[in-house]
Amino acid sequence: AVQPVIRAKAYRCLFEGRMVWIEGRKWEWIDKRYGVRKLKPIITERKLELDIPVLDLIEKSSKDASSFVRRVSAEFLIKELQSLGAVATTYAERFALDSSSAVSERGKFALKRIQ
């Protein structure tokens, strides 16, 4: 995808193994007495049956030009710290030195959790 936000969403779906989207909206009453209501989203989900290793996804997404994609990658690095082992330290250090503050914050957090 050309747009970084779409690439970030695609990587998030690959990491989670599911696709989630808003199918529509429905009115929900908050207070009928005063006629107060709000729109609630109707969320739909579909499982993805893919055999892509998490390490390959983190490798590709950590080198992306967009900080949105790198932030998603750093988030899932934190979730997968135990399963990645010593390789996680390399990626955490890379994220900690990132120019984006959101990505570097997640990298520093991962380094603290490793130590």
Side-chain angles (χ1 to χ4, degrees), residues 4-105:
V5 177
I6 303 299
R7 282 197 314 270
K9 176 68 174 173
Y11 273 114
R12 181 176 295 283
C13 292
L14 289 173
F15 278 121
E16 291 178 348
R18 66 189 179 115
M19 184 73 185
V20 180
W21 67 93
I22 295 176
E23 192 171 274
R25 297 185 187 276
K26 177 175 118 177
W27 284 107
E28 182 178 282
W29 287 104
I30 295 174
D31 193 345
K32 282 188 177 184
R33 179 176 44 190
Y34 296 110
V36 179
R37 58 186 182 156
K38 67 177 182 175
L39 282 173
K40 294 283 281 197
I42 300 170
I43 297 175
T44 307
E45 175 180 325
R46 181 180 148 212
K47 298 289 180 194
L48 298 176
E49 300 296 329
L50 299 170
D51 294 329
I52 302 173
V54 174
L55 190 58
D56 291 346
L57 288 173
I58 290 177
E59 175 67 30
K60 289 180 183 178
S61 59
S62 68
K63 293 179 179 178
D64 198 276
S66 171
S67 64
F68 289 116
V69 178
R70 294 192 311 269
R71 184 176 60 195
V72 169
S73 181
E75 179 183 326
F76 281 93
L77 172 72
I78 292 169
K79 288 184 181 180
E80 298 292 329
L81 278 177
Q82 300 300 324
S83 65
L84 292 177
V87 180
T89 307
T90 307
Y91 289 111
E93 289 171 349
R94 182 186 301 175
F95 289 134
L97 297 174
D98 198 272
S99 60
S100 169
S101 62
V103 178
S104 65
E105 197 173 291

